Amino acid sequence: MEDPWGTALALFQVWISILLCLVMLPAMFGLSLGVTGVYIQILVQILEWATLRIQRGRKEKPSVPIPLPNGIIHRDGGSMAQEMLEVRGSRPGGDFTLGDVFYFYKEGMESLVDDQVTQCFSSEELASWNLLTRTNQNFRYISLRLTVIWGVGVFVRYCVLFPLRITLATISVTWLVISTTLVGFLPETSAKHWLSEVAHLMFYRICARGLSATIRYHNKENRPKKGGICVANHTTPIDIIILANDRCYAMVGQVHGGLMGVIQRSMVRSCPHVWFERTELKDRNTVTNRLREHVACEDKLPILIFPEGTCINNTSVMMFKKGSFEIGGTIYPVAIKYDPRFGDAFWNSAKYNMVSYLLRTMTSWAIVVNVWYLPPMTRLDQEDASQFAQRVKSAIALKGGLIDMAWDGGLKRARVKDSLKEEQQKMYSSMIVGPDGPSDLAATPPLLDLQD
Amino acid sequence: MGALNSLPDEPQYVGLAEKTGFSFEQIGILHKRFKQLSNNGETLRREDFNTIPDLLCNPIRSEIIEAFFDRRNFRQTDAVGTVHEIGFGEFLLVMSHFRPPSIRLDDEQKEVIRMEKLRFLFNMHDTDNDGTITLEEYRHVVEELLSRSGALGKETAKGIADAAMLEVASISMGHMEPDEFYEGITFEHFNKLLKEFEVESRMNIRFMNMDTTTLCK
């Protein structure tokens, strides 16, 4: 009778050694065996076939609703003055007519049906189904072949890819903790810096392989240099892995407990990162000063900051908080754009916690992402921190093909400030009163006389 | 299992489509929006509308939000009063007042739709349901649109409201005797005031149509 434990152990050893050879060794040297590339190509073929099949199915059954990724309604997009002009037929000014209210009715109803901000905090809607159950919002049964392929996909993702990815994740975290602790024992020499970089890079590379990530870096000549600050748009915690695959950064963040805490403490042993206690974060000056100290030191790694403050769904860029831009130094903007066909990278922290988010990501097809390095920017004399932040944000939005939005990412959790509510009222009243002042007011007797 | 699901509540959609005039596609879209606003719940409350920043900036947001909870807009004859929460059916009924018009309508049908939309707007301002928009209610609208602080002083805003009301009175009643009392704008007056106004074309939400040929890139 065979010994079941013996065979299980042997299989496990074979599995681990295959992984070591095929994944870890290439990761050490930054090479790739090309397996992920082939996988992505096959996936693209399958998804294109699926799209055509769904289209054909739609033509046969026209009652199937079509998803609209660009917004639901047609908006005029004119300014308040233009619309009032249309409504009145003449330039508004001097008095109030009932028709003026129509502009506000229409705007109100339109924002009820479709508004920009709420859309930013829900996952991007795909134009065609990518064979994942979770993105199946409007797609219904079309054909047997499609369903079979979807079923095979489920099996591959959950029974083949998922265990592989979990193993890789465990290996990478173990590697990181061990290697950085060992490097931390060395004295401060350039050899230590180099070893620490290798250790970190290996960790991130194994993680990236663990997610089947294909990352394309553009304009590598603009890569962030030491003593600078790297800012990027934020979609998911995986952004860090994506960026750190290319060079090492000094991370900025809050001290956590548990597994994250272990990782943080071991990382900081080999090279300086900036971790804040929760109480320190409340005081803006402490934060700015510490970051300034770090940036002032020329041979420290560049800091990585996400000025939006929260995760956005990768269709637009929301307001950049000006705190990061007050530190000084050179800013290296980076634009990150995920390809939504292979998996939804957006972390909707209101809907999913970290663990379920990681599970979802590890059972998606892959992560395909484009990273653009933009030329460095510094603050000009005549602009203040918020204008500079706006300038950087527009550059990132332009390069990444994202929409540049003026809204604050904090609206995910907080309400609109009262001052914004008054803006529309002020605009309208200045139109009514006009540059000539209110007309005919002195001539009319108070209405109360009529009611006596 | 995703691929094998049919559209949820399809028989309910048929009923709603008949009552409101929206197409299945539009109902599906609005249902998704309803779920987004209500956090996947079955009913919407007034607070749920506060999650839309664009709406919060609108000066007459409270009237617009109230219109959704006003039973007069639920197309039930003689229903009055307000409710605390609405389901998807009521949401759709109120939205249908802003439905894009079908092209193939004769004049009589257009008139009916126009009356419906005007009635909806009238109800929005006639908050006590006495059939007239009184001076107070009208002044309330004007003051909401104008700024209460900053650019316009309180007296100026009041003056503009009074002037507007006077104009309305003169249009509706013609010349008034010194002892005549102007009660307020009735629905007929309201109609007369907005006679030249293209309510049918201005009060519409136009849904976008997705062309299937752009899907495959």
Side-chain angles (χ1 to χ4, degrees), chain A residues 62-286:
Chain A
S63 66
V64 176
I66 303 169
L68 301 167
N70 293 324
I72 304 173
I73 53 181
H74 201 54
R75 297 181 105 123
D76 277 331
S79 70
M80 197 194 279
Q82 279 174 316
E83 297 243 356
M84 293 284 191
L85 190 66
E86 270 182 42
V87 163
R88 284 196 186 212
S90 61
R91 204 184 78 74
D95 54 358
F96 168 84
T97 59
L98 197 54
D100 290 346
V101 202
F102 275 78
Y103 169 77
F104 293 104
Y105 291 145
K106 190 141 156 269
E107 286 288 301
M109 283 311 224
E110 278 181 352
S111 51
L112 259 170
V113 177
D114 187 15
D115 85 294
Q116 297 171 311
V117 177
T118 322
Q119 300 294 5
C120 274
F121 294 125
S122 57
S123 297
E124 185 180 353
E125 199 167 319
L126 292 171
S128 179
W129 189 33
N130 64 350
L131 298 175
L132 294 174
T133 321
R134 63 192 70 129
T135 49
N136 186 1
Q137 290 164 350
N138 285 318
F139 304 96
R140 296 179 296 164
Y141 179 76
I142 303 272
S143 84
L144 181 64
R145 224 183 299 177
L146 201 61
T147 318
V148 165
I149 298 247
W150 169 79
V152 169
V154 168
F155 174 74
V156 166
R157 283 184 294 120
Y158 280 86
C159 303
V160 175
L161 291 178
F162 183 57
L164 171 70
R165 287 171 181 172
I166 289 278
T167 326
L168 283 174
T170 326
I171 293 179
S172 62
V173 172
T174 325
W175 160 259
L176 179 76
V177 173
I178 296 178
S179 60
T180 46
T181 318
L182 287 176
V183 172
F185 288 133
L186 295 174
E188 282 291 325
T189 55
S190 56
K192 177 184 182 186
H193 290 284
W194 179 76
L195 277 174
S196 139
E197 276 197 32
V198 168
H200 277 98
L201 276 175
M202 262 196 73
F203 165 64
Y204 288 117
R205 282 185 186 138
I206 303 177
C207 279
R209 254 146 251 244
L211 294 167
S212 304
T214 306
I215 315 173
R216 237 171 267 131
Y217 296 100
H218 305 264
N219 305 64
K220 278 201 180 178
E221 66 274 6
N222 293 327
R223 206 156 47 165
K225 303 194 177 37
K226 289 192 176 170
I229 304 173
C230 176
V231 301
N233 58 315
H234 200 29
T235 308
T236 151
I238 296 181
D239 284 340
I240 303 177
I241 301 180
I242 303 290
L243 286 179
N245 248 290
D246 204 26
R247 70 151 299 140
C248 275
Y249 294 94
M251 305 289 163
V252 177
Q254 197 188 325
V255 170
H256 286 96
L259 181 62
M260 272 304 295
V262 171
I263 297 179
Q264 282 178 330
R265 279 193 296 275
S266 51
M267 278 170 82
V268 93
R269 269 191 211 115
S270 56
C271 74
H273 297 280
V274 189
W275 304 123
F276 289 104
E277 301 287 337
R278 207 191 175 98
T279 44
E280 282 178 309
L281 273 179
K282 299 229 190 322
D283 182 5
R284 273 186 54 173
N285 280 325
T286 325

Side-chain angles (χ1 to χ4, degrees), chain A residues 48 51-52 55 58-59 63-76 86-87 95-102 104-119 122 125 127-129 133 136-142 147 150 351 407 411 415-416 420-422 424-426 428-429 432-433 438 441 444-445 447 449-452, chain B residues 1-7 10 25 29-30 32-33 36-37 49-61 64 68 94-95 98 120-121 124-125 135 138 141-152 156 159-160 162-167 176 178-182 190 193-194 197 199 202-210 212-213 215-217:
Chain A
E48 276 179 5
T51 311
L52 287 170
Q55 241 187 300
R58 280 228 180 88
K59 289 212 183 82
S63 66
V64 176
I66 303 169
L68 301 167
N70 293 324
I72 304 173
I73 53 181
H74 201 54
R75 297 181 105 123
D76 277 331
E86 270 182 42
V87 163
D95 54 358
F96 168 84
T97 59
L98 197 54
D100 290 346
V101 202
F102 275 78
F104 293 104
Y105 291 145
K106 190 141 156 269
E107 286 288 301
M109 283 311 224
E110 278 181 352
S111 51
L112 259 170
V113 177
D114 187 15
D115 85 294
Q116 297 171 311
V117 177
T118 322
Q119 300 294 5
S122 57
E125 199 167 319
S128 179
W129 189 33
T133 321
N136 186 1
Q137 290 164 350
N138 285 318
F139 304 96
R140 296 179 296 164
Y141 179 76
I142 303 272
T147 318
W150 169 79
K351 235 171 146 186
W407 288 106
L411 285 174
R415 297 209 13 200
V416 178
L420 282 173
K421 293 184 202 176
E422 299 245 328
Q424 292 248 310
Q425 287 175 320
K426 284 207 182 111
Y428 178 66
S429 43
I432 291 292
V433 173
L441 280 182
T444 47
L447 209 56
D449 285 351
L450 289 169
Q451 287 181 337
D452 286 334
Chain B
M1 287 293 127
L4 303 172
N5 259 351
S6 60
L7 197 62
E10 210 162 69
E25 192 180 277
I29 292 171
L30 287 172
K32 233 178 357 150
R33 180 64 172 167
Q36 213 178 40
L37 291 175
F49 286 94
N50 290 337
T51 53
I52 308 173
D54 275 340
L55 187 62
L56 284 179
C57 286
N58 196 313
I60 51 169
R61 66 188 163 281
I64 295 178
F68 277 87
V94 177
M95 272 296 189
F98 282 80
F120 177 77
L121 294 178
M124 212 192 273
H125 295 301
L135 174 65
Y138 195 73
V141 176
V142 180
E143 275 174 8
E144 282 215 313
L145 289 185
L146 305 172
S147 175
R148 246 165 274 182
S149 68
L152 234 45
T156 327
I160 292 182
D162 288 343
M165 197 62 175
L166 189 61
E167 193 181 322
M176 280 181 27
D179 55 352
E180 254 189 288
F181 179 54
Y182 185 59
F190 190 72
L193 275 171
L194 295 171
F197 210 71
V199 171
R202 297 233 164 256
M203 261 184 66
N204 287 320
I205 309 254
R206 285 157 295 167
F207 285 91
M208 296 221 276
N209 275 323
M210 187 78 167
T212 32
T213 51
L215 282 176
C216 199
K217 276 196 198 163

Side-chain angles (χ1 to χ4, degrees), chain A residues 333-400:
Chain A
V334 179
I336 309 177
K337 180 84 177 99
Y338 291 85
D339 190 335
R341 288 179 297 170
F342 298 99
D344 179 23
F346 168 54
W347 181 30
N348 191 344
S349 50
K351 235 171 146 186
Y352 307 106
N353 62 6
M354 178 59 108
V355 177
S356 32
Y357 168 70
L358 282 175
L359 284 175
R360 280 166 60 95
T361 316
M362 288 200 199
T363 53
S364 307
W365 293 118
I367 307 268
V368 176
V369 55
N370 280 304
V371 176
W372 287 275
Y373 291 113
L374 280 80
M377 293 176 160
T378 40
R379 183 155 73 96
L380 302 170
D381 283 326
Q382 63 267 28
E383 57 182 5
D384 64 2
S386 45
Q387 286 166 332
F388 181 38
Q390 178 65 37
R391 188 159 64 94
V392 174
K393 176 163 79 89
S394 308
I396 292 183
L398 188 65
K399 196 68 180 187

